[in-house]
Every structure is written in C-alpha cells, then in structure tokens.
Amino acid sequence: MSDSDTYGKTGETTTAGGTATTAERPATGGATAAAAVLAPLDDRLTDLVALYEDLHRHPELGFQETRTAAEAARRLADHGYEVTTGIARTGVVGVLRNGPGPVVLLRADMDALPVTENSGLEYASTVPGVMHACGHDVHVTCLLGAADLLAAGREHWSGTLIALFQPAEEVGSGARAMVDAGLYSKGLVPTPDVVLAQHVAPFGAGLIAYCPGACMAAADSLEITFHGTGGHGSRPETTVDPILMAASFVQRVQSVVAREVAPKDRVVVTVGSFHAGDTANVIPDRAVVRLSVRTFDETVRTAVLAAVDRIARAEAAASGADRAPETELLDSFPVTVNDAATLRGVNAEFTRLFGEQRLFAYEPATGSEDAGLLATAAGAPLYYWWLGGWDPQEFRAALAAGRLAQDIPSNHSPHFVPVVRPTLTMGVEALTAAALDQFAPGAVSAG
C-alpha cells in the first residue's frame, strides 16, 4: 500500500490544494449534508481529546466498564438520546428518533486488556496491569463525537440513530450478551437496517482501510486437559506422562494447517498456553493446553476443530491414558463479513469527503471481532472498516525501510497508543459520514 502525501499535520486534513479544517472543507454532491453536520467538529476537538485521555487513563476490563458506560450514558442523555444502561451488565444504548427513514446502528466497544502499559505518555493507564491496548478508548470517543454532531445536525437527515456501546469484545461475548439480554427481542432498541463500526489499527493516521466480504476470521479458543497418571520423576515407567502427551499434541496439531487444509483456505492454529506440574521431580497427573483456531469458512472451521479433537484423543491413546482428554470452548467469534452494497455506498461517501487517496483495500485479517453478531441477529448488513491511528511520519519511515512489523506496535502491544490527531478527527468524521450516507433518501429501505 502507498501512503505518500496523504497525511495532514495535527488537527488538519490534506487535500490536493493544501490543508483545510473540517469547517472549511468544500462540499459537493452527496457530501453537502456531511459537511454541514461536521462543521462544528473543530470546536468539539478539545473536549474530545480530554475525553479520550481520561478514558485511556482509566481502562476497564470486559463486563467491568462501569465508569466508561456511565460517561457514555451521561453524554448521550445530554445530546437528547433515549438512553438504556445495564444491558448485559455494562452495555449502553442511545436512540435518537428523527422522523421517518432507516434505522442505523453505530457501534463502539469499551473494554480494555490485561496488559501493563509501557508507553511513557502523560495520560498512560493508572490501573495496574490494565491498558487500552486495542484502541477501544478511541472507538468510544469517536462514537460519542459522532453522536453529538448527528444530534446537533438532525435537520440534515431523517431516520433513527442507535449509538451502541458494547462491553467485553476482547473475550468475544459482549455482543452476544447484549443480544441475549433482549437488545432487539425486548425492544431495547429498534431493529437496525444497517450496522456500522470501525477499529483503529497500526497504519498511518488519516487513512481508512476496507475489505469486501469476509474481512476478519472466525476464532475459537479451546482448553484441552490431558489426563495421565502421576508419579515420581525417578520412576517414569510407573506413570502415564501427560506432559509428553500434551507436548506431542502441540507439535502434531500444526500438521492440521500444513497437511489437512488446502493452501487457498486461510487457517491459523496457535497454542498460547501450556501448564503442567509444579516441581522438577514429580510427573503430574494432568497437563492443560490452550489454543486458538482461526478460519474464514464454516466448512473449514468444522473440519479443523474436528481434526484438533481427533489429534488430542489420538495422542492420549498413544500414551496409554485411561481417560480421554477434555475439551472446553472458552470463547468463539464468528467470521466478520462486510456487505458489498453497504461498503460501496459508504466508501463513495468517504471518497467524496476524504479523497480517493485516503482509502485502500486490505487482505482479510486473521484477527477476530464480534460486531457482526449485532448485524446477523438483526438480519441487517454490516460494514466494518479500519481507521489508521499511527504517527504518519513514523509509519512512512517504517514502510520505506521494510520494518513495519519491527517498528510499529500492533494492537494488544503495551506500546500501542494511537496518535490523538488526526485519529480522533478522522474517526468522528468517518462514523458521521457513514451514518449520513445511510440516512440519505433511498439509501436503505426502512424496516
């Protein structure tokens, strides 16, 4: 991908003729409403930056986002939304009914990660061992900014807007929990006609990346417990060693990708945890392995999970274990699939607003996300895009040197902290423009 000449300085956006603030950006065609609604953004930025820094200082783990949820609810109420809190413990929704038209759902996830921050920033996390290492503080800030602008500019659109703040994305259960709590079935929000979401990523701030179709992998996290017979380390012949059993499994399970999956089918199998025993001279009676399986096709997913189970059982049998291993599903994410028509329509609005040079296509990511559940539960299309968040000059230098993996921290890194501007500006603009595109006459049929 190329990012040359696509970045502005702090608080600015680059155009063919130089730089322009949000309010000064020219509006043509379908971008007229967006320009009018976005005009107050420059005056809101100081408050949004303060909000972002506050959220970053006070990260909260999944289903514990009480402080974040309270701030989202307070601001939505101030902007005139009908607010419901406590959905699946900490979920928050705001509904703004603004005449006839489609129902558009904008989603942000709120949870942080059990990561110790190592950024050195003045507004670094103050919570020991917890950090917004995946940028969900960016997501919350941008959605609150968009919700504010869309409420203030409601004369420029018609329809119903839902601003949804979701808990526990990192463990894959937040969206499902909100749906199961009656998000649609109990009428906590109207059933949306479209679901829109974004995620900050470690490429240059000022860019938007998109992927048609299956854009993020399904993910299944498994815990497999191998049972052996423990004993003294000096007499291994009297035992069935679960460490050897599990270690053989760890090696053999990689053959699933290498020998059982066609090259065209993208699959990742990663063992991330191995626990057994407490001391050097005792063979324990069990070993516990945790692994992650990522796939893009349901048939392939079923086959890979069956192969993992088969290999685990075979290694236990080969070791002479008198008990079969036990497998527990820890969490599961579905494949995230972008709707082609929605992607084309929103991208056309992005192109009008930002310029064609700021959008680029990317390959499907093996990371996973649960936003798609909010769409499938409603029978609605989804568009989920990536928002650049890294310092543009640092990104360009790393790209030119072929050192992106080495020099640019990824999501979940203790060093992953997006630059505040233009990341927040672009994120608010993108959510606002995407919603307005759906509210445009004829863009979506009301349900």
Side-chain angles (χ1 to χ4, degrees):
M1 66 187 160
S2 173
D3 66 331
S4 60
D5 300 322
T6 61
Y7 306 101
K9 300 182 185 299
T10 300
E12 299 174 334
T13 47
T14 301
T15 65
T19 60
T21 65
T22 304
E24 295 167 343
R25 190 176 297 117
T28 58
T32 303
V37 174
L38 289 169
L41 176 55
D42 293 322
D43 294 333
R44 306 290 210 274
L45 282 176
T46 298
D47 175 63
L48 290 175
V49 170
L51 169 63
Y52 165 71
E53 292 182 353
D54 180 71
L55 293 174
H56 193 83
R57 286 190 183 98
H58 302 95
E60 298 169 301
L61 296 175
F63 293 123
Q64 300 175 29
E65 310 95 336
T66 54
R67 187 179 186 277
T68 306
E71 181 64 14
R74 182 187 69 80
R75 287 176 175 255
L76 289 174
D78 287 347
H79 301 323
Y81 287 74
E82 305 166 19
V83 179
T84 303
T85 62
I87 306 172
R89 286 189 268 179
T90 51
V92 176
V93 292
V95 178
L96 187 63
R97 304 176 196 273
N98 191 37
V103 179
V104 177
L105 189 154
L106 302 181
R107 174 266 200 179
D109 38 12
M110 300 186 291
D111 54 324
L113 283 159
V115 172
T116 298
E117 183 162 352
N118 190 19
S119 68
L121 292 173
E122 181 274 331
Y123 55 89
S125 171
T126 60
V127 182
V130 182
M131 176 195 175
H132 268 298
C134 204
H136 295 186
D137 46 356
V138 172
H139 305 167
V140 171
T141 303
C142 290
L143 179 49
L144 285 171
D148 175 10
L149 294 178
L150 286 162
R154 69 187 74 187
E155 69 271 19
H156 297 285
W157 57 274
S158 181
T160 297
L161 175 64
I162 303 169
L164 183 145
F165 296 85
Q166 178 202 308
E169 183 276 334
E170 294 293 354
V171 295
S173 54
R176 172 59 62 194
M178 290 190 77
V179 171
D180 290 347
L183 182 67
Y184 305 137
S185 62
K186 294 182 179 178
L188 302 182
V189 299
T191 302
D193 294 304
V194 65
V195 174
L196 304 169
Q198 63 185 3
H199 201 299
V200 67
F203 59 85
L207 294 178
I208 286 177
Y210 63 92
C211 177
C215 63
M216 297 189 77
D220 297 282
S221 294
L222 309 174
E223 179 179 275
I224 303 178
T225 302
F226 292 90
H227 299 282
T229 303
H232 201 291
S234 68
R235 299 189 65 198
E237 75 279 6
T238 67
T239 71
V240 175
D241 189 346
I243 295 180
L244 181 60
M245 190 190 311
S248 297
F249 165 81
V250 169
Q251 284 193 306
R252 182 61 184 267
V253 78
Q254 294 303 322
S255 70
V256 175
V257 177
R259 290 295 179 268
E260 299 191 38
V261 176
K264 66 179 178 62
D265 296 319
R266 302 182 64 183
V267 174
V268 177
V269 176
T270 297
V271 176
S273 175
F274 191 125
H275 290 279
D278 298 302
T279 189
N281 66 343
V282 176
I283 294 174
D285 61 1
R286 68 175 192 161
V288 180
V289 174
R290 290 187 173 188
L291 66 153
S292 175
V293 176
R294 297 175 186 268
T295 55
F296 287 90
D297 177 88
E298 190 59 36
T299 300
V300 174
R301 181 186 196 182
T302 300
V304 170
L305 292 175
V308 170
D309 182 69
R310 184 192 74 234
I311 291 170
R313 291 176 177 275
E315 292 296 346
S319 297
D322 59 7
R323 288 180 61 185
E326 298 169 350
T327 299
E328 178 184 356
L329 179 65
L330 300 177
D331 58 60
S332 183
F333 294 80
V335 178
T336 302
V337 181
N338 276 330
D339 176 71
T342 306
L343 181 149
R344 285 194 302 270
V346 172
N347 277 4
E349 183 66 16
F350 286 166
T351 300
R352 285 192 292 267
L353 188 63
F354 305 127
E356 186 176 1
Q357 76 278 11
R358 289 184 177 272
L359 273 68
F360 68 95
Y362 73 96
E363 293 296 315
T366 50
S368 301
E369 168 63 68
D370 68 352
L373 287 169
L374 298 171
T376 55
L382 170 76
Y383 181 24
Y384 183 98
W385 63 89
W386 291 94
L387 175 72
W390 206 253
D391 178 85
Q393 293 184 352
E394 290 183 15
F395 183 80
R396 277 197 296 266
L399 181 65
R403 291 184 53 83
L404 286 177
Q406 296 81 10
D407 296 346
I408 306 299
S410 67
N411 299 73
H412 293 209
S413 162
H415 303 282
F416 181 76
V417 182
V419 292
V420 174
R421 301 183 188 183
T423 306
L424 295 183
T425 308
M426 191 80 165
V428 173
E429 291 175 333
L431 285 174
T432 305
L436 288 170
D437 174 73
Q438 300 303 303
F439 287 131
V444 178
S445 297

